[in-house]
Amino acid sequence: MSDCLFCKIAAGEIPSTCVYSDDDVFAFRDINPQAPTHILVIPRQHIACADEITAENSALVAKCFEAIAKIARQEGLTGGYRVINNCGEDGGQTVCHLHFHILGGKKLSERMI
Ligand code: AMP
Ligand code: ZN
């Protein structure tokens, strides 16, 4: 999508601190970190939100989770971490390009569920 912040970040048109990149997935540090490690993992292809995952594009979600495991090892998150997806307005999503937050680097205290 031409007017999507995260499409532009994945394309290198807007700078970010990249921590992982391959043909399908891009990951970068969150600009407003909520934990010592806070990384956003996105498919390069524009998918607006989790609600738009289909049989046609779900392989990209699997690729994101393969990347998450690699990034967690790379970042030394040996004690564990949390993966969060916010979907839609009620879910608190502010950027409409599917992304998974990796939060870690400390004992995360707040439990949402
Ligand atoms: P969400 O609220 O789940 O849509 O998450 C969007 C996330 O994107 C927030 O945690 C923001 O801090 C982060 N964010 C927004 N703009 C940028 C940017 N230019 N670079 C890195 N992270 C960003
Ligand atoms: Zn996009």
Side-chain angles (χ1 to χ4, degrees):
M1 257 185 87
S2 58
D3 200 29
C4 169
L5 173 64
F6 285 179
C7 280
K8 288 179 179 167
I9 285 178
E13 292 165 16
I14 290 177
S16 69
T17 306
C18 175
V19 298
Y20 179 86
S21 176
D22 66 27
D23 288 348
D24 298 307
V25 177
F26 190 81
F28 53 102
R29 296 198 188 278
D30 196 292
I31 205 168
N32 182 23
Q34 302 300 307
T37 301
H38 187 171
I39 290 163
L40 300 175
V41 181
I42 65 173
R44 286 184 178 277
Q45 179 183 309
H46 183 84
I47 300 170
C49 61
D51 209 38
E52 292 199 357
I53 296 168
T54 65
E56 282 67 45
N57 63 24
S58 62
L60 293 171
V61 178
K63 297 259 186 183
C64 284
F65 274 83
E66 289 178 36
I68 286 168
K70 287 180 191 165
I71 293 162
R73 280 195 290 274
Q74 186 179 295
E75 295 284 321
L77 300 177
T78 52
Y81 53 93
R82 189 170 290 161
V83 179
I84 294 176
N85 169 256
N86 297 322
C87 178
E89 198 179 340
D90 284 359
Q93 184 177 9
T94 60
V95 178
C96 290
H97 180 126
L98 180 67
H99 54 280
F100 299 99
H101 298 255
I102 304 175
L103 292 159
K106 69 170 183 182
K107 179 94 176 154
L108 299 168
S109 55
E110 293 169 35
R111 293 191 64 91
M112 305 259 274
I113 55 169

